[in-house]
Amino acid sequence: MQLLIQQDGTIRCLYSEAIPLAMLGSLDITRGSHVEPDCNGQWWADLSPVTGPKLGPFEQRSQALQAEAHWLETHWLNEPLIP
């Protein structure tokens, strides 16, 4: 699990239960994407909540989740927050 600690003390990460995040302070959890199937049973990772692309289609949900996590770690996690 990657934690990005910013100069103001804000910590950003992809949510996981690997560590108890509440021990770090108060939490503000927001959705980074939506992983949903379409009417053909294909899976999509819609990253519009973080102004990202729509990834897919994928045959399996696990593939969409893996693509979602990779995109968020590569393109969102290390981007500076805009106030």
Side-chain angles (χ1 to χ4, degrees):
M1 183 172 181
Q2 295 181 42
L3 298 177
L4 175 65
I5 303 171
Q6 298 186 249
Q7 289 181 344
D8 66 357
T10 301
I11 300 172
R12 295 175 67 187
C13 66
L14 299 185
Y15 182 84
S16 168
E17 295 175 347
I19 62 171
L21 293 173
M23 293 182 69
L24 301 175
S26 61
L27 302 177
D28 180 16
I29 300 171
T30 57
R31 180 173 293 281
S33 73
H34 304 277
V35 175
E36 301 287 340
D38 63 18
C39 62
N40 297 315
Q42 297 290 302
W43 289 88
W44 295 84
D46 178 0
L47 293 137
S48 61
V50 292
T51 64
K54 187 172 183 179
L55 306 176
F58 299 97
E59 289 186 22
Q60 298 176 340
R61 181 176 182 267
S62 60
Q63 294 170 317
L65 292 171
Q66 184 177 15
E68 166 204 35
H70 176 73
W71 191 93
L72 288 168
E73 288 171 351
T74 303
H75 300 283
W76 173 80
L77 183 58
N78 294 311
E79 291 293 318
L81 284 176
I82 299 172

